[in-house]
Amino acid sequence: MAALAAAGALLAPLLLTGCGDDQDQAAALGAQSVPSVGRAELEPGGTVRWAVDALPATLNTFQPDADRVTDQVAGAVLPMLFTIDATGRPQLNTDYLSSAEITEREPKQTVVYTLNPDATWSDGERIGVEDFVAQWQALRGEDEGFRPARNAGYDRVEDVRKGREPGQVEVVFAQPYADWRALFTPLYPRSLTTDAQRFNEDSRTELPVSGGPFTLAKVDEKAATITLERNEEWWGEPALLDSLELVAVERGDRRAALAAGDLDVAELVPADAEGMAPANGGPPAADDKPAADEGLRGFAVHRAYDAAYTQLALNGVSGPLADERVRWAIARAVDRDQLAEDVHTPAGLPVKPLGSHLRMLGQDGYRDNSDALGASGAESAAELLDEAGWQRPEGPAGEDGKPGAAVAAPLGAGWPAAEQRAALLRQVAGAQRAEGLDEPADATEADAEAAAAEAEELAERAATPVRTRDGAELRLRFVLPDGPGAEQLRDVAGRIGGMLATVGIRVDYETVAADAFFVEHIQPGDFDLTLYSWPATAYPATDARPLFAKPRPAPGGELTVQQNYTRVGTDYIDQLLDQAAGELDEEEHEKLLNKADAHIWAAAGSIPLYQRPQLVAARTTLSGAGAYGLATPRYQDIGYRRG
């Protein structure tokens, strides 16, 4: 999926699920929140202005710099042969296919697609085998003129040809491929995939024909908007909206833009959702105060677990983290339940840490494999550090119980910030009482006491002496992006620093420019610890492979890491994911994935923490727009209610 190649710049069948009741309940409550009424109750026409982070660098989902907005445009404009449902499973899209199935397994896997006979490009050309052939040849990796992000899956295809019946396409695989449904979605027109120049350059800025319910009408760099218009040549149920406008709006500006009537749909941070009405009788906002802006009364906030997760990444290439015992100690010392509570509670979501690198909460096949790390907690972590030779000095770090010079206080959520917050709140309470506002002052003083208690707890944690070995301190660089969009990451990092201080690990924080964070620090491995996100996928054997692949030496001595920026991997993990990708039996496929996930946990290079919150404000008069969770939006069904 395109999002896998760019997710880090933001800023993962049924027989082996093993989900408990509380887990099932949490997943169900956080699966998705999308208002939906029958199309007969909706009024054709109108425009929806939808906030996005930025205009995409490319409109080609198969290029390295594709992002979520690239996928959003493709989902509305191009054929999607398979969509993803709320449980993260691929589903046949009958707008394009009447069937798609494996017809032969021996001697070679063969898949036959039977196309909807009405499926045509907006220029009148039939969607057919020529489009399949051109996309396969562009993405298979044999023509160096084409520069796709990767060729996963397409490199297993031996031939693409006309089927035996009219409107059929046969795809023959040189090797078995379990994730075959991931191929040819989206499907680009052959006019963009038969020529390398058109594929590499032209497709970045133009989609001359449409095969979906909308067409690309205009990309306006100056106004920072992409306008999609109803495709009048679309053969399926017509798009209800006249147009869908994607507008680049900074996250911090979205609440005001909603109140001013400049947006109809926008994803928000929890603080900006406060006071806004919850959707569908869902959980209340973080406080119960009414929306201060009258313009926000026509909006409701939809909440779901996002189709992405945040991980703690440990760079295992050198230094203390090259020792797996130190990585295990960190993984055991981090209280994932507490971090999930810190993130999910303000978002109004059920609190649940993520237990898998390969499946999300509520996704079919999800299984919590985190027990592969062994016993959790500070005591277990301390034993591992002792075993690795990192000794804890005796005695407190300072006479006053506060961190001495040898210990760095956690960033953001550390005791100094909490102490300052408590002092400020006490000052505010005093001013409120002076004005006769006793009831607000009581609430402010309660907040001050809570901040003071937090400061005391964190100071006690940070007072733990730093471990040493051969005269060197156990110190790790925690690299984080700056800017308002990364506040939550920095807060979580601060919490992690406090947890690691408890077992004698010093964390030194380094905040870098957000636009340089990934390219200049994460990709080249310039960090010890960091936080970033990966998206969910319905095809983990394929899409997760480059994230956890063992780095291999390249000519010149450098490592080829693919997207495994932790540099932690094993031959066995690679083998398990490769076997899963080629296993057509669903039960065996899931067994291999879970075995691979358990070994990824045990390698302790990537520690999944929580599924990110997705809070989407949408007009209460809209149907079909909200927090989709894992599901693919159905853009033609977005519309305004009658009356």
Side-chain angles (χ1 to χ4, degrees):
M1 297 293 288
L4 276 169
L10 300 174
L11 15 24
L14 300 169
L15 298 177
L16 299 172
T17 53
C19 295
D21 291 342
D22 60 333
Q23 189 165 275
D24 290 339
Q25 184 179 18
L29 290 173
Q32 65 172 186
S33 174
V34 181
S36 180
V37 300
R39 288 173 61 94
E41 299 179 46
L42 301 175
E43 185 75 41
T47 295
V48 165
R49 293 158 295 180
W50 197 312
V52 297
D53 290 331
L55 296 192
T58 179
L59 297 175
N60 187 337
T61 64
F62 298 111
Q63 292 183 337
D65 50 354
D67 59 19
R68 277 191 166 188
V69 186
T70 310
D71 289 340
Q72 194 170 2
V73 173
V77 172
L78 293 172
M80 312 293 285
L81 303 191
F82 283 86
T83 57
I84 308 302
D85 67 15
T87 67
R89 284 184 66 90
Q91 299 294 334
L92 186 80
N93 188 344
T94 55
D95 285 329
Y96 300 99
L97 299 172
S98 59
S99 66
E101 57 188 350
I102 299 175
T103 58
E104 294 180 29
R105 299 192 178 201
E106 297 293 342
K108 294 182 179 179
Q109 177 186 350
T110 301
V111 174
V112 174
Y113 300 82
T114 303
L115 297 170
N116 183 332
D118 296 327
T120 58
W121 299 106
S122 55
D123 61 2
E125 289 285 333
R126 287 283 301 274
I127 296 174
V129 65
E130 296 85 359
D131 302 295
F132 284 73
V133 170
Q135 185 153 311
W136 164 54
Q137 292 179 341
L139 300 179
R140 65 190 299 196
E142 293 191 4
D143 187 335
E144 295 182 357
F146 290 88
R147 299 193 299 271
R150 56 200 179 104
N151 55 19
Y154 292 94
D155 58 348
R156 292 179 178 241
V157 174
E158 179 179 285
D159 191 22
V160 179
R161 61 199 182 202
K162 287 185 179 181
R164 298 175 184 177
E165 302 293 332
Q168 287 187 336
V169 178
E170 281 190 3
V171 178
V172 180
F173 291 84
Q175 306 171 57
Y177 187 48
D179 290 338
W180 60 269
R181 295 175 183 85
L183 304 180
F184 307 108
T185 292
L187 181 65
Y188 281 79
R190 54 190 177 275
S191 59
L192 285 178
T193 52
T194 52
D195 179 81
Q197 166 69 27
R198 297 276 288 157
F199 178 86
N200 297 332
E201 303 300 335
D202 297 357
S203 65
R204 299 181 65 82
T205 57
E206 64 179 71
L207 295 174
V209 297
S210 168
F214 286 87
T215 63
L216 177 66
K218 185 179 183 181
V219 178
D220 190 331
E221 297 281 353
K222 185 175 181 180
T225 60
I226 294 177
T227 302
L228 310 179
E229 293 181 350
R230 183 191 297 116
N231 178 8
E232 301 298 343
E233 304 304 318
W234 169 250
W235 59 92
E237 290 185 312
L240 289 161
L241 297 173
D242 292 328
S243 61
L244 178 61
E245 193 170 276
L246 307 179
V247 188
V249 180
E250 296 281 348
R251 300 240 168 181
D253 297 333
R254 291 181 184 178
R255 183 179 173 107
L258 289 166
D262 295 332
L263 291 173
D264 304 300
V265 180
E267 187 169 348
L268 302 174
V269 297
D272 285 340
E274 289 185 3
M276 297 179 69
N280 302 328
D287 60 11
D288 280 330
K289 67 184 179 183
D293 300 301
E294 287 292 328
L296 295 175
R297 295 189 182 277
F299 290 89
V301 177
H302 301 268
R303 291 171 163 81
Y305 296 126
D306 197 4
Y309 72 94
T310 296
Q311 65 167 354
L312 173 64
L314 296 79
N315 188 343
V317 74
S318 63
L321 296 182
D323 187 335
E324 62 184 8
R325 293 169 297 183
V326 177
R327 300 199 303 273
W328 290 341
I330 291 172
R332 293 182 183 186
V334 171
D335 187 339
R336 296 166 49 248
D337 291 281
Q338 181 61 56
L339 296 177
E341 182 176 349
D342 292 342
V343 171
H344 288 158
T345 296
L349 287 168
V351 175
K352 197 69 184 174
L354 187 66
S356 173
H357 299 80
L358 306 181
R359 304 284 196 193
M360 300 295 102
L361 296 172
Q363 185 171 13
D364 276 340
Y366 175 82
R367 181 173 177 175
D368 188 334
N369 293 302
S370 59
D371 58 0
L373 282 171
S376 62
E379 183 177 347
S380 176
E383 291 175 356
L384 284 166
L385 293 173
D386 289 341
E387 182 184 328
W390 292 98
Q391 300 301 314
R392 185 190 314 216
E394 299 295 329
E399 294 180 0
D400 59 356
K402 299 291 176 67
V407 179
L411 174 72
W415 68 268
E419 280 192 338
Q420 292 169 12
R421 187 163 64 252
L424 179 60
L425 287 168
R426 290 191 183 103
Q427 292 176 9
V428 172
Q432 289 172 330
R433 291 204 187 282
E435 296 180 11
L437 303 174
D438 291 337
E439 188 173 340
D442 290 342
T444 304
E445 285 176 348
D447 290 340
E449 291 306 311
E454 179 186 27
E456 184 176 352
E457 177 190 352
L458 290 171
E460 183 178 349
R461 284 183 176 182
T464 305
V466 180
R467 290 176 179 267
T468 60
R469 187 177 69 182
D470 300 330
E473 292 183 335
L474 182 48
R475 302 174 58 162
L476 301 173
R477 283 176 63 239
F478 207 136
V479 178
L480 297 159
D482 67 5
E487 287 178 357
Q488 186 180 82
L489 284 184
R490 295 194 296 273
D491 285 344
V492 169
R495 291 287 189 185
I496 292 172
M499 294 168 184
L500 298 185
T502 303
V503 297
I505 298 174
R506 173 173 178 168
V507 171
D508 297 317
Y509 293 93
E510 182 177 338
T511 305
V512 301
D515 58 0
F517 169 66
F518 215 74
V519 174
E520 297 182 14
H521 297 276
I522 305 310
Q523 290 179 345
D526 181 30
F527 67 92
D528 292 323
L529 302 174
T530 192
L531 296 168
Y532 54 87
S533 295
W534 288 125
T537 174
Y539 311 105
T542 296
D543 290 338
R545 175 66 163 80
L547 309 187
F548 306 110
K550 180 181 177 179
R552 306 288 178 181
E558 293 186 2
L559 284 179
T560 299
V561 301
Q562 298 186 57
Q563 291 171 286
N564 183 1
Y565 305 123
T566 71
R567 278 82 176 159
V568 175
T570 69
D571 291 327
Y572 191 46
I573 292 171
D574 291 353
Q575 291 168 10
L576 288 169
L577 290 174
D578 287 342
Q579 289 173 28
E583 179 54 68
L584 301 182
D585 180 276
E586 288 195 0
E587 183 175 353
E588 290 301 316
H589 177 79
E590 289 301 316
K591 286 181 180 179
L592 289 165
L593 286 177
N594 280 307
K595 186 180 287 188
D597 184 43
H599 281 271
I600 296 169
W601 274 107
S606 163
I607 311 302
L609 301 178
Y610 51 82
Q611 210 163 331
R612 296 191 333 192
Q614 183 183 45
L615 275 62
V616 178
R619 290 196 184 276
T620 55
T621 53
L622 266 177
S623 175
Y628 297 102
L630 299 173
T632 302
R634 188 170 165 83
Y635 292 101
Q636 61 265 46
D637 289 346
I638 298 174
Y640 290 97
R641 299 170 191 262
R642 293 184 183 274

